[in-house]
Amino acid sequence: MFKSQQSNKQITVIGLTPFERIFLLIAPPAAGLIVGYFLPSIADWAAGLPWFPFQGPLKLVASIQEIWLTAVTTILGFIAGMWLSAEAIKDSLIITVSDEELILNIADSTHRYSRSDIASMLIDGKELVLLGNAGQELARERYESTPAKIADAFVKHRYSWSFDGDPYEAEYRLWVDHTPDLSPALNALLRARNQAMLKKDMESAKEMQCEASKLGIMVKDRGKFQYWRNPGKTHEVRYDDQ
């Protein structure tokens, strides 16, 4: 986390520290090299276990007794590690906060929020949550920094921070298929999102979560289950620092 001056406006930027960035650049490629180098030996060992899955590919790799195979798998492991490093850095959240606005950068997306549109902010598990003046979620993004650093940055810039967690936590309800309080379209959307989560397709699940927000409900996950609330029917919430 660091502060800088831009156009006489003090900002705080929160993201990966230099150490974390260096670690992400080195660790996955190194792990890929090691796994790639030993992959032929691992395949030979696993091919002797009848219960182990993927017996066909394993036996094929084990049957190739050539020195070039180790070189190929080592190079492929290194390339896979480099790809993981690039994806991890690209998908890390960068938070830029000033007294007037908040900017969230993740992957190729940039989202700006005026301070006047933000009622409160909080940490929910490993996600940073922005709440609007009508109780709606403006954003819900995974973060890499520590909760204390994030909270400290926003408090210094005089944003309202909810130290007691989500003030609407009690209003979330477990989603089950064909929930009568939801429209058929929303039930279909959450059904599709549930399938995406089961398939570990988190990108699609995130997109459908945003779509649900546009249709009027907030969705969050607790373990393998989806919970929802309707911000239009929430009670009035007061924040201690307002």
Side-chain angles (χ1 to χ4, degrees):
M1 181 174 69
F2 61 90
K3 292 185 178 180
S4 64
Q5 295 285 340
Q6 286 187 353
S7 303
N8 298 320
K9 179 175 68 175
Q10 189 179 61
I11 66 172
T12 302
V13 180
I14 310 167
L16 293 173
T17 65
F19 173 80
E20 291 169 335
R21 189 174 291 270
I22 292 172
F23 178 81
L24 283 176
L25 287 172
I26 294 176
L33 278 172
I34 295 171
V35 173
Y37 179 82
F38 288 104
L39 184 60
S41 299
I42 295 173
D44 185 53
W45 168 78
L49 304 174
W51 52 266
F52 204 90
F54 308 110
Q55 283 294 308
L58 290 173
K59 289 180 179 179
L60 176 62
V61 173
S63 67
I64 303 175
Q65 302 295 326
E66 301 290 343
I67 190 64
W68 58 262
L69 178 62
T70 299
V72 169
T73 55
T74 301
I75 293 172
L76 290 177
F78 179 75
I79 293 174
M82 291 289 289
W83 178 81
L84 285 174
S85 292
E87 287 297 304
I89 292 175
K90 183 187 73 173
D91 291 338
S92 64
L93 178 65
I94 300 176
I95 306 168
T96 305
V97 57
S98 69
D99 291 346
E100 293 79 25
E101 70 172 351
L102 165 67
I103 305 173
L104 300 181
N105 292 95
I106 187 168
D108 298 322
S109 301
T110 299
H111 302 282
R112 294 176 176 268
Y113 305 91
S114 172
R115 177 183 169 185
S116 61
D117 293 331
I118 302 174
S120 186
M121 315 175 75
L122 59 107
I123 293 295
D124 186 8
K126 284 295 295 180
E127 295 177 320
L128 172 66
V129 180
L130 277 60
L131 296 176
N133 296 314
Q136 80 280 24
E137 285 186 7
L138 301 176
R140 177 181 283 270
E141 299 289 351
R142 293 187 65 84
Y143 62 90
E144 285 73 32
S145 187
T146 63
K149 285 184 177 180
I150 296 176
D152 181 63
F154 286 114
V155 170
K156 285 183 178 179
H157 286 279
R158 296 176 297 175
Y159 283 77
S160 177
W161 184 266
S162 179
F163 288 96
D164 296 326
D166 191 347
Y168 300 103
E169 180 69 26
E171 296 177 9
Y172 278 94
R173 300 168 56 187
L174 175 66
W175 175 79
V176 294
D177 205 358
H178 303 296
T179 294
D181 291 337
L182 296 177
S183 67
L186 281 169
N187 271 303
L189 180 63
L190 294 184
R191 191 180 309 121
R193 186 174 184 272
N194 186 61
Q195 291 300 313
M197 292 172 60
L198 291 175
K199 296 177 181 177
K200 306 298 183 182
D201 185 359
M202 305 316 294
E203 183 176 352
S204 296
K206 180 68 175 178
E207 287 296 321
M208 285 183 270
Q209 184 181 34
C210 293
E211 186 63 25
S213 177
K214 294 176 184 177
L215 294 175
I217 66 168
M218 305 297 107
V219 179
K220 66 187 297 184
D221 302 320
R222 296 176 187 164
K224 298 181 180 180
F225 300 101
Q226 299 183 99
Y227 286 76
W228 65 277
R229 70 175 175 89
N230 184 343
K233 296 183 179 181
T234 58
H235 62 271
E236 181 180 355
V237 175
R238 298 183 61 185
Y239 300 97
D240 294 338
D241 54 351
Q242 287 187 337

PDB file of all heavy atoms in Angstrom, residues 30-62:
ATOM      1  N   ALA A  30       8.537 -21.968 -11.043  1.00  0.00           N
ATOM      2  CA  ALA A  30       9.446 -22.910 -10.390  1.00  0.00           C
ATOM      3  C   ALA A  30       8.739 -24.232 -10.100  1.00  0.00           C
ATOM      4  O   ALA A  30       9.296 -25.319 -10.329  1.00  0.00           O
ATOM      5  CB  ALA A  30       9.993 -22.305  -9.101  1.00  0.00           C
ATOM      6  N   ALA A  31       7.513 -24.144  -9.602  1.00  0.00           N
ATOM      7  CA  ALA A  31       6.740 -25.357  -9.336  1.00  0.00           C
ATOM      8  C   ALA A  31       6.453 -26.106 -10.630  1.00  0.00           C
ATOM      9  O   ALA A  31       6.505 -27.341 -10.676  1.00  0.00           O
ATOM     10  CB  ALA A  31       5.439 -25.004  -8.626  1.00  0.00           C
ATOM     11  N   GLY A  32       6.177 -25.364 -11.702  1.00  0.00           N
ATOM     12  CA  GLY A  32       5.934 -25.988 -12.997  1.00  0.00           C
ATOM     13  C   GLY A  32       7.148 -26.735 -13.513  1.00  0.00           C
ATOM     14  O   GLY A  32       7.021 -27.829 -14.079  1.00  0.00           O
ATOM     15  N   LEU A  33       8.338 -26.150 -13.320  1.00  0.00           N
ATOM     16  CA  LEU A  33       9.580 -26.816 -13.726  1.00  0.00           C
ATOM     17  C   LEU A  33       9.763 -28.140 -12.983  1.00  0.00           C
ATOM     18  O   LEU A  33      10.093 -29.173 -13.596  1.00  0.00           O
ATOM     19  CB  LEU A  33      10.777 -25.904 -13.447  1.00  0.00           C
ATOM     20  CG  LEU A  33      11.091 -24.815 -14.469  1.00  0.00           C
ATOM     21  CD1 LEU A  33      12.170 -23.904 -13.928  1.00  0.00           C
ATOM     22  CD2 LEU A  33      11.544 -25.443 -15.787  1.00  0.00           C
ATOM     23  N   ILE A  34       9.534 -28.112 -11.673  1.00  0.00           N
ATOM     24  CA  ILE A  34       9.734 -29.316 -10.863  1.00  0.00           C
ATOM     25  C   ILE A  34       8.746 -30.407 -11.245  1.00  0.00           C
ATOM     26  O   ILE A  34       9.118 -31.571 -11.463  1.00  0.00           O
ATOM     27  CB  ILE A  34       9.614 -28.967  -9.367  1.00  0.00           C
ATOM     28  CG1 ILE A  34      10.746 -28.023  -8.960  1.00  0.00           C
ATOM     29  CG2 ILE A  34       9.631 -30.232  -8.508  1.00  0.00           C
ATOM     30  CD1 ILE A  34      10.603 -27.456  -7.567  1.00  0.00           C
ATOM     31  N   VAL A  35       7.467 -30.028 -11.334  1.00  0.00           N
ATOM     32  CA  VAL A  35       6.443 -31.021 -11.689  1.00  0.00           C
ATOM     33  C   VAL A  35       6.681 -31.554 -13.100  1.00  0.00           C
ATOM     34  O   VAL A  35       6.573 -32.761 -13.350  1.00  0.00           O
ATOM     35  CB  VAL A  35       5.035 -30.400 -11.579  1.00  0.00           C
ATOM     36  CG1 VAL A  35       3.983 -31.367 -12.116  1.00  0.00           C
ATOM     37  CG2 VAL A  35       4.721 -30.046 -10.132  1.00  0.00           C
ATOM     38  N   GLY A  36       7.030 -30.656 -14.023  1.00  0.00           N
ATOM     39  CA  GLY A  36       7.289 -31.089 -15.400  1.00  0.00           C
ATOM     40  C   GLY A  36       8.461 -32.043 -15.488  1.00  0.00           C
ATOM     41  O   GLY A  36       8.421 -33.029 -16.248  1.00  0.00           O
ATOM     42  N   TYR A  37       9.516 -31.770 -14.716  1.00  0.00           N
ATOM     43  CA  TYR A  37      10.704 -32.622 -14.759  1.00  0.00           C
ATOM     44  C   TYR A  37      10.389 -34.035 -14.266  1.00  0.00           C
ATOM     45  O   TYR A  37      10.862 -35.037 -14.824  1.00  0.00           O
ATOM     46  CB  TYR A  37      11.815 -32.004 -13.913  1.00  0.00           C
ATOM     47  CG  TYR A  37      13.080 -32.830 -13.882  1.00  0.00           C
ATOM     48  CD1 TYR A  37      14.002 -32.747 -14.922  1.00  0.00           C
ATOM     49  CD2 TYR A  37      13.342 -33.690 -12.810  1.00  0.00           C
ATOM     50  CE1 TYR A  37      15.160 -33.508 -14.902  1.00  0.00           C
ATOM     51  CE2 TYR A  37      14.498 -34.450 -12.787  1.00  0.00           C
ATOM     52  CZ  TYR A  37      15.402 -34.359 -13.830  1.00  0.00           C
ATOM     53  OH  TYR A  37      16.545 -35.116 -13.816  1.00  0.00           O
ATOM     54  N   PHE A  38       9.594 -34.122 -13.207  1.00  0.00           N
ATOM     55  CA  PHE A  38       9.293 -35.432 -12.620  1.00  0.00           C
ATOM     56  C   PHE A  38       8.027 -36.074 -13.198  1.00  0.00           C
ATOM     57  O   PHE A  38       7.669 -37.179 -12.778  1.00  0.00           O
ATOM     58  CB  PHE A  38       9.145 -35.302 -11.099  1.00  0.00           C
ATOM     59  CG  PHE A  38      10.438 -35.061 -10.382  1.00  0.00           C
ATOM     60  CD1 PHE A  38      10.754 -33.793  -9.908  1.00  0.00           C
ATOM     61  CD2 PHE A  38      11.351 -36.088 -10.208  1.00  0.00           C
ATOM     62  CE1 PHE A  38      11.952 -33.568  -9.243  1.00  0.00           C
ATOM     63  CE2 PHE A  38      12.550 -35.872  -9.540  1.00  0.00           C
ATOM     64  CZ  PHE A  38      12.858 -34.610  -9.064  1.00  0.00           C
ATOM     65  N   LEU A  39       7.361 -35.401 -14.136  1.00  0.00           N
ATOM     66  CA  LEU A  39       6.102 -35.930 -14.670  1.00  0.00           C
ATOM     67  C   LEU A  39       6.246 -37.321 -15.291  1.00  0.00           C
ATOM     68  O   LEU A  39       5.398 -38.191 -15.037  1.00  0.00           O
ATOM     69  CB  LEU A  39       5.510 -34.957 -15.685  1.00  0.00           C
ATOM     70  CG  LEU A  39       4.140 -35.348 -16.253  1.00  0.00           C
ATOM     71  CD1 LEU A  39       3.112 -35.463 -15.126  1.00  0.00           C
ATOM     72  CD2 LEU A  39       3.662 -34.321 -17.281  1.00  0.00           C
ATOM     73  N   PRO A  40       7.273 -37.592 -16.109  1.00  0.00           N
ATOM     74  CA  PRO A  40       7.396 -38.959 -16.654  1.00  0.00           C
ATOM     75  C   PRO A  40       7.515 -40.012 -15.559  1.00  0.00           C
ATOM     76  O   PRO A  40       6.915 -41.095 -15.657  1.00  0.00           O
ATOM     77  CB  PRO A  40       8.678 -38.878 -17.502  1.00  0.00           C
ATOM     78  CG  PRO A  40       8.764 -37.451 -17.905  1.00  0.00           C
ATOM     79  CD  PRO A  40       8.273 -36.694 -16.706  1.00  0.00           C
ATOM     80  N   SER A  41       8.274 -39.720 -14.498  1.00  0.00           N
ATOM     81  CA  SER A  41       8.408 -40.676 -13.393  1.00  0.00           C
ATOM     82  C   SER A  41       7.093 -40.842 -12.651  1.00  0.00           C
ATOM     83  O   SER A  41       6.720 -41.958 -12.256  1.00  0.00           O
ATOM     84  CB  SER A  41       9.498 -40.203 -12.418  1.00  0.00           C
ATOM     85  OG  SER A  41      10.756 -40.116 -13.070  1.00  0.00           O
ATOM     86  N   ILE A  42       6.382 -39.731 -12.473  1.00  0.00           N
ATOM     87  CA  ILE A  42       5.077 -39.802 -11.802  1.00  0.00           C
ATOM     88  C   ILE A  42       4.092 -40.620 -12.632  1.00  0.00           C
ATOM     89  O   ILE A  42       3.331 -41.436 -12.095  1.00  0.00           O
ATOM     90  CB  ILE A  42       4.535 -38.369 -11.566  1.00  0.00           C
ATOM     91  CG1 ILE A  42       5.437 -37.611 -10.589  1.00  0.00           C
ATOM     92  CG2 ILE A  42       3.102 -38.427 -11.029  1.00  0.00           C
ATOM     93  CD1 ILE A  42       5.078 -36.143 -10.442  1.00  0.00           C
ATOM     94  N   ALA A  43       4.117 -40.405 -13.955  1.00  0.00           N
ATOM     95  CA  ALA A  43       3.221 -41.156 -14.835  1.00  0.00           C
ATOM     96  C   ALA A  43       3.535 -42.646 -14.795  1.00  0.00           C
ATOM     97  O   ALA A  43       2.630 -43.489 -14.781  1.00  0.00           O
ATOM     98  CB  ALA A  43       3.342 -40.622 -16.262  1.00  0.00           C
ATOM     99  N   ASP A  44       4.810 -42.983 -14.774  1.00  0.00           N
ATOM    100  CA  ASP A  44       5.210 -44.393 -14.716  1.00  0.00           C
ATOM    101  C   ASP A  44       4.728 -45.038 -13.421  1.00  0.00           C
ATOM    102  O   ASP A  44       4.251 -46.179 -13.409  1.00  0.00           O
ATOM    103  CB  ASP A  44       6.736 -44.488 -14.832  1.00  0.00           C
ATOM    104  CG  ASP A  44       7.211 -45.930 -14.902  1.00  0.00           C
ATOM    105  OD1 ASP A  44       6.706 -46.686 -15.765  1.00  0.00           O
ATOM    106  OD2 ASP A  44       8.070 -46.313 -14.075  1.00  0.00           O
ATOM    107  N   TRP A  45       4.830 -44.289 -12.309  1.00  0.00           N
ATOM    108  CA  TRP A  45       4.367 -44.812 -11.020  1.00  0.00           C
ATOM    109  C   TRP A  45       2.848 -44.952 -10.985  1.00  0.00           C
ATOM    110  O   TRP A  45       2.315 -45.978 -10.563  1.00  0.00           O
ATOM    111  CB  TRP A  45       4.841 -43.874  -9.911  1.00  0.00           C
ATOM    112  CG  TRP A  45       4.198 -44.153  -8.580  1.00  0.00           C
ATOM    113  CD1 TRP A  45       4.499 -45.150  -7.707  1.00  0.00           C
ATOM    114  CD2 TRP A  45       3.125 -43.411  -7.992  1.00  0.00           C
ATOM    115  NE1 TRP A  45       3.687 -45.081  -6.599  1.00  0.00           N
ATOM    116  CE2 TRP A  45       2.834 -44.020  -6.743  1.00  0.00           C
ATOM    117  CE3 TRP A  45       2.397 -42.302  -8.389  1.00  0.00           C
ATOM    118  CZ2 TRP A  45       1.835 -43.549  -5.908  1.00  0.00           C
ATOM    119  CZ3 TRP A  45       1.408 -41.829  -7.553  1.00  0.00           C
ATOM    120  CH2 TRP A  45       1.127 -42.440  -6.329  1.00  0.00           C
ATOM    121  N   ALA A  46       2.133 -43.919 -11.457  1.00  0.00           N
ATOM    122  CA  ALA A  46       0.671 -43.932 -11.399  1.00  0.00           C
ATOM    123  C   ALA A  46       0.078 -44.966 -12.346  1.00  0.00           C
ATOM    124  O   ALA A  46      -0.999 -45.519 -12.085  1.00  0.00           O
ATOM    125  CB  ALA A  46       0.123 -42.548 -11.724  1.00  0.00           C
ATOM    126  N   ALA A  47       0.776 -45.251 -13.460  1.00  0.00           N
ATOM    127  CA  ALA A  47       0.259 -46.246 -14.417  1.00  0.00           C
ATOM    128  C   ALA A  47       0.225 -47.641 -13.812  1.00  0.00           C
ATOM    129  O   ALA A  47      -0.503 -48.513 -14.301  1.00  0.00           O
ATOM    130  CB  ALA A  47       1.121 -46.242 -15.680  1.00  0.00           C
ATOM    131  N   GLY A  48       0.992 -47.858 -12.748  1.00  0.00           N
ATOM    132  CA  GLY A  48       0.982 -49.157 -12.086  1.00  0.00           C
ATOM    133  C   GLY A  48      -0.105 -49.297 -11.044  1.00  0.00           C
ATOM    134  O   GLY A  48      -0.200 -50.336 -10.385  1.00  0.00           O
ATOM    135  N   LEU A  49      -0.929 -48.254 -10.893  1.00  0.00           N
ATOM    136  CA  LEU A  49      -2.032 -48.295  -9.931  1.00  0.00           C
ATOM    137  C   LEU A  49      -3.348 -48.385 -10.699  1.00  0.00           C
ATOM    138  O   LEU A  49      -3.817 -47.394 -11.254  1.00  0.00           O
ATOM    139  CB  LEU A  49      -2.016 -47.043  -9.044  1.00  0.00           C
ATOM    140  CG  LEU A  49      -0.705 -46.777  -8.277  1.00  0.00           C
ATOM    141  CD1 LEU A  49      -0.779 -45.428  -7.561  1.00  0.00           C
ATOM    142  CD2 LEU A  49      -0.437 -47.900  -7.284  1.00  0.00           C
ATOM    143  N   PRO A  50      -3.959 -49.564 -10.763  1.00  0.00           N
ATOM    144  CA  PRO A  50      -5.175 -49.743 -11.573  1.00  0.00           C
ATOM    145  C   PRO A  50      -6.316 -48.807 -11.206  1.00  0.00           C
ATOM    146  O   PRO A  50      -7.131 -48.451 -12.061  1.00  0.00           O
ATOM    147  CB  PRO A  50      -5.555 -51.212 -11.312  1.00  0.00           C
ATOM    148  CG  PRO A  50      -4.292 -51.858 -10.843  1.00  0.00           C
ATOM    149  CD  PRO A  50      -3.549 -50.797 -10.095  1.00  0.00           C
ATOM    150  N   TRP A  51      -6.392 -48.380  -9.949  1.00  0.00           N
ATOM    151  CA  TRP A  51      -7.494 -47.530  -9.494  1.00  0.00           C
ATOM    152  C   TRP A  51      -7.279 -46.067  -9.852  1.00  0.00           C
ATOM    153  O   TRP A  51      -8.199 -45.242  -9.746  1.00  0.00           O
ATOM    154  CB  TRP A  51      -7.667 -47.652  -7.982  1.00  0.00           C
ATOM    155  CG  TRP A  51      -6.391 -47.428  -7.211  1.00  0.00           C
ATOM    156  CD1 TRP A  51      -5.520 -48.390  -6.798  1.00  0.00           C
ATOM    157  CD2 TRP A  51      -5.847 -46.180  -6.784  1.00  0.00           C
ATOM    158  NE1 TRP A  51      -4.458 -47.822  -6.129  1.00  0.00           N
ATOM    159  CE2 TRP A  51      -4.637 -46.457  -6.107  1.00  0.00           C
ATOM    160  CE3 TRP A  51      -6.269 -44.859  -6.895  1.00  0.00           C
ATOM    161  CZ2 TRP A  51      -3.842 -45.465  -5.562  1.00  0.00           C
ATOM    162  CZ3 TRP A  51      -5.486 -43.859  -6.341  1.00  0.00           C
ATOM    163  CH2 TRP A  51      -4.285 -44.159  -5.695  1.00  0.00           C
ATOM    164  N   PHE A  52      -6.063 -45.698 -10.264  1.00  0.00           N
ATOM    165  CA  PHE A  52      -5.760 -44.302 -10.562  1.00  0.00           C
ATOM    166  C   PHE A  52      -6.429 -43.901 -11.875  1.00  0.00           C
ATOM    167  O   PHE A  52      -6.379 -44.644 -12.856  1.00  0.00           O
ATOM    168  CB  PHE A  52      -4.244 -44.095 -10.675  1.00  0.00           C
ATOM    169  CG  PHE A  52      -3.795 -42.695 -10.404  1.00  0.00           C
ATOM    170  CD1 PHE A  52      -3.460 -42.290  -9.126  1.00  0.00           C
ATOM    171  CD2 PHE A  52      -3.735 -41.766 -11.433  1.00  0.00           C
ATOM    172  CE1 PHE A  52      -3.046 -40.995  -8.857  1.00  0.00           C
ATOM    173  CE2 PHE A  52      -3.327 -40.467 -11.187  1.00  0.00           C
ATOM    174  CZ  PHE A  52      -2.980 -40.072  -9.896  1.00  0.00           C
ATOM    175  N   PRO A  53      -7.081 -42.715 -11.921  1.00  0.00           N
ATOM    176  CA  PRO A  53      -7.764 -42.300 -13.159  1.00  0.00           C
ATOM    177  C   PRO A  53      -6.775 -41.962 -14.271  1.00  0.00           C
ATOM    178  O   PRO A  53      -5.574 -41.859 -14.052  1.00  0.00           O
ATOM    179  CB  PRO A  53      -8.556 -41.059 -12.716  1.00  0.00           C
ATOM    180  CG  PRO A  53      -7.794 -40.532 -11.537  1.00  0.00           C
ATOM    181  CD  PRO A  53      -7.223 -41.733 -10.834  1.00  0.00           C
ATOM    182  N   PHE A  54      -7.312 -41.777 -15.471  1.00  0.00           N
ATOM    183  CA  PHE A  54      -6.528 -41.396 -16.650  1.00  0.00           C
ATOM    184  C   PHE A  54      -5.442 -42.424 -16.970  1.00  0.00           C
ATOM    185  O   PHE A  54      -4.306 -42.065 -17.320  1.00  0.00           O
ATOM    186  CB  PHE A  54      -5.893 -40.009 -16.472  1.00  0.00           C
ATOM    187  CG  PHE A  54      -6.850 -38.931 -16.064  1.00  0.00           C
ATOM    188  CD1 PHE A  54      -6.779 -38.383 -14.791  1.00  0.00           C
ATOM    189  CD2 PHE A  54      -7.843 -38.498 -16.933  1.00  0.00           C
ATOM    190  CE1 PHE A  54      -7.660 -37.396 -14.396  1.00  0.00           C
ATOM    191  CE2 PHE A  54      -8.726 -37.513 -16.555  1.00  0.00           C
ATOM    192  CZ  PHE A  54      -8.648 -36.957 -15.280  1.00  0.00           C
ATOM    193  N   GLN A  55      -5.783 -43.701 -16.861  1.00  0.00           N
ATOM    194  CA  GLN A  55      -4.794 -44.740 -17.118  1.00  0.00           C
ATOM    195  C   GLN A  55      -4.275 -44.704 -18.555  1.00  0.00           C
ATOM    196  O   GLN A  55      -3.085 -44.958 -18.788  1.00  0.00           O
ATOM    197  CB  GLN A  55      -5.400 -46.109 -16.812  1.00  0.00           C
ATOM    198  CG  GLN A  55      -5.471 -46.436 -15.328  1.00  0.00           C
ATOM    199  CD  GLN A  55      -4.101 -46.592 -14.709  1.00  0.00           C
ATOM    200  OE1 GLN A  55      -3.267 -47.354 -15.205  1.00  0.00           O
ATOM    201  NE2 GLN A  55      -3.850 -45.870 -13.621  1.00  0.00           N
ATOM    202  N   GLY A  56      -5.158 -44.377 -19.508  1.00  0.00           N
ATOM    203  CA  GLY A  56      -4.726 -44.326 -20.912  1.00  0.00           C
ATOM    204  C   GLY A  56      -3.590 -43.344 -21.137  1.00  0.00           C
ATOM    205  O   GLY A  56      -2.497 -43.732 -21.606  1.00  0.00           O
ATOM    206  N   PRO A  57      -3.799 -42.046 -20.836  1.00  0.00           N
ATOM    207  CA  PRO A  57      -2.722 -41.064 -21.026  1.00  0.00           C
ATOM    208  C   PRO A  57      -1.479 -41.379 -20.194  1.00  0.00           C
ATOM    209  O   PRO A  57      -0.354 -41.179 -20.658  1.00  0.00           O
ATOM    210  CB  PRO A  57      -3.370 -39.753 -20.577  1.00  0.00           C
ATOM    211  CG  PRO A  57      -4.827 -39.962 -20.773  1.00  0.00           C
ATOM    212  CD  PRO A  57      -5.055 -41.403 -20.463  1.00  0.00           C
ATOM    213  N   LEU A  58      -1.675 -41.886 -18.963  1.00  0.00           N
ATOM    214  CA  LEU A  58      -0.539 -42.193 -18.107  1.00  0.00           C
ATOM    215  C   LEU A  58       0.317 -43.297 -18.699  1.00  0.00           C
ATOM    216  O   LEU A  58       1.560 -43.219 -18.705  1.00  0.00           O
ATOM    217  CB  LEU A  58      -1.016 -42.586 -16.706  1.00  0.00           C
ATOM    218  CG  LEU A  58      -1.607 -41.467 -15.844  1.00  0.00           C
ATOM    219  CD1 LEU A  58      -2.201 -42.031 -14.565  1.00  0.00           C
ATOM    220  CD2 LEU A  58      -0.538 -40.433 -15.505  1.00  0.00           C
ATOM    221  N   LYS A  59      -0.323 -44.345 -19.204  1.00  0.00           N
ATOM    222  CA  LYS A  59       0.427 -45.452 -19.794  1.00  0.00           C
ATOM    223  C   LYS A  59       1.137 -45.006 -21.076  1.00  0.00           C
ATOM    224  O   LYS A  59       2.238 -45.490 -21.381  1.00  0.00           O
ATOM    225  CB  LYS A  59      -0.509 -46.626 -20.087  1.00  0.00           C
ATOM    226  CG  LYS A  59      -0.996 -47.335 -18.826  1.00  0.00           C
ATOM    227  CD  LYS A  59      -1.928 -48.486 -19.158  1.00  0.00           C
ATOM    228  CE  LYS A  59      -2.382 -49.197 -17.878  1.00  0.00           C
ATOM    229  NZ  LYS A  59      -3.325 -50.315 -18.180  1.00  0.00           N
ATOM    230  N   LEU A  60       0.507 -44.085 -21.821  1.00  0.00           N
ATOM    231  CA  LEU A  60       1.142 -43.572 -23.032  1.00  0.00           C
ATOM    232  C   LEU A  60       2.428 -42.816 -22.690  1.00  0.00           C
ATOM    233  O   LEU A  60       3.474 -43.032 -23.313  1.00  0.00           O
ATOM    234  CB  LEU A  60       0.174 -42.654 -23.781  1.00  0.00           C
ATOM    235  CG  LEU A  60       0.742 -41.958 -25.030  1.00  0.00           C
ATOM    236  CD1 LEU A  60       1.145 -42.999 -26.069  1.00  0.00           C
ATOM    237  CD2 LEU A  60      -0.282 -40.988 -25.614  1.00  0.00           C
ATOM    238  N   VAL A  61       2.337 -41.935 -21.678  1.00  0.00           N
ATOM    239  CA  VAL A  61       3.524 -41.179 -21.262  1.00  0.00           C
ATOM    240  C   VAL A  61       4.587 -42.119 -20.704  1.00  0.00           C
ATOM    241  O   VAL A  61       5.785 -41.986 -21.014  1.00  0.00           O
ATOM    242  CB  VAL A  61       3.143 -40.116 -20.214  1.00  0.00           C
ATOM    243  CG1 VAL A  61       4.399 -39.443 -19.653  1.00  0.00           C
ATOM    244  CG2 VAL A  61       2.217 -39.078 -20.819  1.00  0.00           C
ATOM    245  N   ALA A  62       4.168 -43.106 -19.894  1.00  0.00           N
ATOM    246  CA  ALA A  62       5.121 -44.030 -19.278  1.00  0.00           C
ATOM    247  C   ALA A  62       5.811 -44.907 -20.314  1.00  0.00           C
ATOM    248  O   ALA A  62       6.944 -45.358 -20.096  1.00  0.00           O
ATOM    249  CB  ALA A  62       4.409 -44.893 -18.241  1.00  0.00           C
TER     250      ALA A  62
END
